[in-house]
Structures are given as structure tokens and as C-alpha cells.
Amino acid sequence: MRNSSILSAAAVWVATLSLAGAAVAQTPALNPEDAQRARAQQQRQRTQPGNDAPVWRDVRYGEPKVSAVRGRETDVLIQSEGQTWRAARVPMATTGGFVFALALLGILGFYLWRGPIELTEPPTGRRIERFTRAQRIMHWTLAIAFTTLGVTGLIITFGKNVLLPVFGYSVFSVVAMAAKILHNFVGPVFVVLLPIMIVMFLKSNLFKSYDWPWIKRFGGMMDRTGRSEVPSGKANAGQKILFWLMLVAVGITAAITGLILDFPNFDQTRQTMQIANGIHMVAGIGGVILLAFHIYLGTVGMRGAYDAMRHGYVDESWAKQHHRIWYEDVMSGKASHGDRPVKVVEPGRGAA
């Protein structure tokens, strides 16, 4: 009987030691900071049962924990910067929307006040080659990509607040999904075309000494008679500013941030993508504002501007009035397209 009691006591003791050893093995070693957080949670449970604030505060610290999944940030349960991004994104988008609307109203107001920029002299019939076929193809290809990205970007950014109340969930879901797919697939095409376009038009958009008088007088565009235009080269100072802002600054910024957002398999962190998203949105809104101004001046804002990029030729009177320095270079044989002179087509003859 005594031996049985000893054996039972020994068995209980062994089982107790085993359970204690297992518990110790499963309990991670605590550093002083973790121990302090654990004590704070224990105290909170005694004074405020069910309040797990210390636990979630510990989770939101963003410190790496233990995870079986390998990869960047897979051991971070909650990334606190995400809340900052969500809080900042809405006011940024709202502000951008108001700025875009004001820009459109500004363009409309300028058109109503100024009207289209007309020729002050009648056309002569002599046509001057302004853009080559390759330049026009590149321009229109990039223009279609840029416009597609701009429109789809506006839908993605503002569609939920602007289009959804008007068209309802069924139609908006189709439009939003199509916008997202187009934006993601046209983006890489834009990235490929952009540097080609920049190189192709870089030479004519370098600033010259005669650009400063144009800037000081805004090219004479505020004169509704149209008789005080400032002489300029092939591209005036306004077009050069647009080139460096819209194509170089905004275009490259949107391209880089767009690649970061389009290809998360680059192994970038969530915070990197959040920052890229904010920069991409600001660049995108700035880009569509500049695009709207460019479309305005290239169509209804100036007579004959569309023909230059559509057909490649402009009338002699148009060239003399809007780009006098370039016109004089053409007439003197100084202007060229690569290794050949600019073509001048006499009245009654077709373009070669």
C-alpha cells in the first residue's frame, strides 16, 4: 500500500514537472520592455476586464514578430503608417478635385473672355512643314496613352463620389473595373513611349535668350487683338514650360510611382507603396490639368494649331505670326528636320 502511494505521488510529480516544462518551453523569453507590456495588460484586465488596448498597442508598434511566412513585412501584423495614408488620402484627393475643377473653369473663363486666337493676316496658301510623320505618330500615340491614363485615373480617384450616385452600382462597377484594367495596362506602354517622346522633342524645347521676353509678356496672349505676339522659335516659352512640366516632371514622376504601384512583386514595402500612391495622385491631377490646357490651345484656343499636328503643315501666315523666329530660320534655310531642310510647299502643290 505504501509503495503504491509512493508510486502515485511520483507519477503526479513527474506529470507536474512535464506540464511545467512544456509551459516554460512554449513561453517566449521576455525582454524588459515586453515584460512591462505584459504586466500592463494583466493590470488592465483586473481594473478594466475586456479592455485589450495594451495588446493592440503592442501590435500597432510595427515591430517584427514571429511568422512562418517569409517575405518583407510578413512578420508585421498591423502597419500603423497605413492609417496615416488612409487619413491623408481623402483630403488630398478632395483638394485635387477642387483644383482640377477650378482649372477647367479658368480655361473656360479665359476662352469666353479671349476667344480663339485668330490670324491677323490672311493665309498665303504657302505651307511649311512643322512636324514630321514620325513626330506626329509619336505625339498622337503618347497623347492617346496620356489621355487614357488621365481619364481612368480620374474615374479611379473620384468615381465613387461623382459617378456612383449618378449611374448606380451596376453601371459604375463595370466602368470602374474597365478603368482599373486600362490604367494598369496602358501605364507600362506610357512608360516605354515617354522617354522616346522626350528625346524626340528635346532640342526644340531648350530655352533660348528670346524666351524671356515671351515669359514677361505671356506671349501677348492677353491682347485680344492678337497683334502683340512676341517672336519665338519653333516652340515658344509657354510650350517649353509645358514640355518640362507635363512630360519631364509629371510624366517621369507618374511613370516611376506607377511602376511601384503596378508591380508589387518588386518586393517594396507597404509604406513605399503608400508614399508612391500619394505622389502618383498629386502628379496625376497636375498632369490632367496641364493636359486640359494643352488640348485647349491645340484645338479651339488657337486657329490652325490642330492642323500642325494633324497634317504636319501650317500656313506661312500662321508660322510668321506665332513663331516668327522659326519662320525666319525656315526661310533662310537654317531650320531643319534632322539632316534635311524643312519643306516649304508652294500654293497649289501637294506635300511631298
Side-chain angles (χ1 to χ4, degrees):
M1 184 70 178
R2 182 180 179 183
N3 291 337
S4 299
S5 300
I6 293 174
L7 291 174
S8 298
V12 172
W13 179 249
V14 170
T16 301
L17 291 177
S18 298
L19 290 174
V24 171
Q26 294 177 7
T27 302
L30 297 176
N31 57 45
E33 187 177 356
D34 288 338
Q36 182 179 359
R37 295 173 188 168
R39 286 194 297 270
Q41 176 62 15
Q42 292 171 359
Q43 179 65 26
R44 181 65 62 92
Q45 290 302 315
R46 286 194 292 268
T47 58
Q48 301 177 16
N51 189 332
D52 295 330
V55 172
W56 291 107
R57 190 179 299 113
D58 183 32
V59 171
R60 286 179 61 86
Y61 275 148
E63 296 177 356
K65 302 300 179 183
V66 179
S67 173
V69 181
R70 299 302 178 190
R72 297 189 70 178
E73 293 189 320
T74 55
D75 50 3
V76 177
L77 181 59
I78 294 180
Q79 188 237 8
S80 299
E81 292 82 2
Q83 180 62 32
T84 304
W85 168 73
R86 285 190 295 272
R89 184 180 182 277
V90 173
M92 286 174 60
T94 303
T95 303
F98 279 113
V99 172
F100 176 63
L102 288 174
L104 293 182
L105 290 175
I107 293 173
L108 176 62
F110 182 78
Y111 176 75
L112 294 176
W113 173 79
R114 175 66 171 80
I117 301 174
E118 304 279 4
L119 287 178
T120 57
E121 301 292 338
T124 65
R126 176 186 286 181
R127 292 179 296 159
I128 300 175
E129 183 187 28
R130 183 153 173 82
F131 299 110
T132 66
R133 181 184 296 272
Q135 289 174 331
R136 287 184 286 124
I137 291 174
M138 176 53 60
H139 172 273
W140 286 114
T141 305
L142 188 69
I144 293 172
F146 201 117
T147 304
T148 301
L149 292 172
V151 173
T152 55
L154 290 174
I155 293 173
I156 294 170
T157 305
F158 304 112
K160 187 176 180 180
N161 296 319
V162 177
L163 299 180
L164 179 58
V166 177
F167 298 104
Y169 288 95
S170 298
V171 174
F172 176 69
S173 63
V174 175
V175 173
M177 182 58 67
K180 177 181 178 296
I181 293 173
L182 276 173
H183 202 83
N184 289 345
F185 280 91
V186 175
V189 176
F190 174 79
V191 171
V192 173
L193 295 176
L194 180 64
I196 301 175
M197 179 79 169
I198 291 175
V199 172
M200 185 174 287
F201 288 88
L202 179 62
K203 182 180 178 180
S204 60
N205 283 280
L206 296 175
F207 285 96
K208 305 291 185 179
S209 59
Y210 50 72
D211 289 319
W212 180 239
W214 194 101
I215 294 174
K216 290 192 296 184
R217 296 176 54 188
F218 198 53
M221 293 182 63
M222 305 306 291
D223 178 10
R224 289 191 287 183
T225 67
R227 296 185 178 277
S228 58
E229 287 204 30
V230 182
S232 63
K234 184 174 183 180
N236 61 45
Q239 293 169 324
K240 292 177 181 180
I241 292 173
L242 193 68
F243 172 85
W244 289 102
L245 283 180
M246 187 169 72
L247 281 186
V248 179
V250 170
I252 293 177
T253 300
I256 294 175
T257 53
L259 288 175
I260 294 174
L261 296 170
D262 221 4
F263 297 97
N265 50 302
F266 288 168
D267 203 25
Q268 58 268 36
T269 63
R270 283 173 283 181
Q271 185 176 18
T272 300
M273 296 187 70
Q274 289 154 5
I275 295 173
N277 177 262
I279 297 174
H280 191 79
M281 181 168 57
V282 173
I285 293 173
V288 293
I289 291 173
L290 294 171
L291 176 64
F293 186 70
H294 178 62
I295 292 175
Y296 162 72
L297 281 180
T299 53
V300 298
M302 177 180 290
R303 303 291 190 194
Y306 174 75
D307 292 335
M309 192 55 73
R310 172 66 179 84
H311 303 290
Y313 286 81
V314 294
D315 189 84
E316 180 182 27
S317 295
W318 189 95
K320 187 186 301 184
Q321 177 177 329
H322 299 306
H323 300 272
R324 176 174 291 274
I325 296 176
W326 173 70
Y327 166 76
E328 292 173 352
D329 287 343
V330 171
M331 293 296 101
S332 64
K334 295 179 181 178
S336 64
H337 286 306
D339 56 352
R340 66 172 179 82
V342 174
K343 295 178 182 177
V344 178
V345 182
E346 298 297 330
R349 299 183 59 183

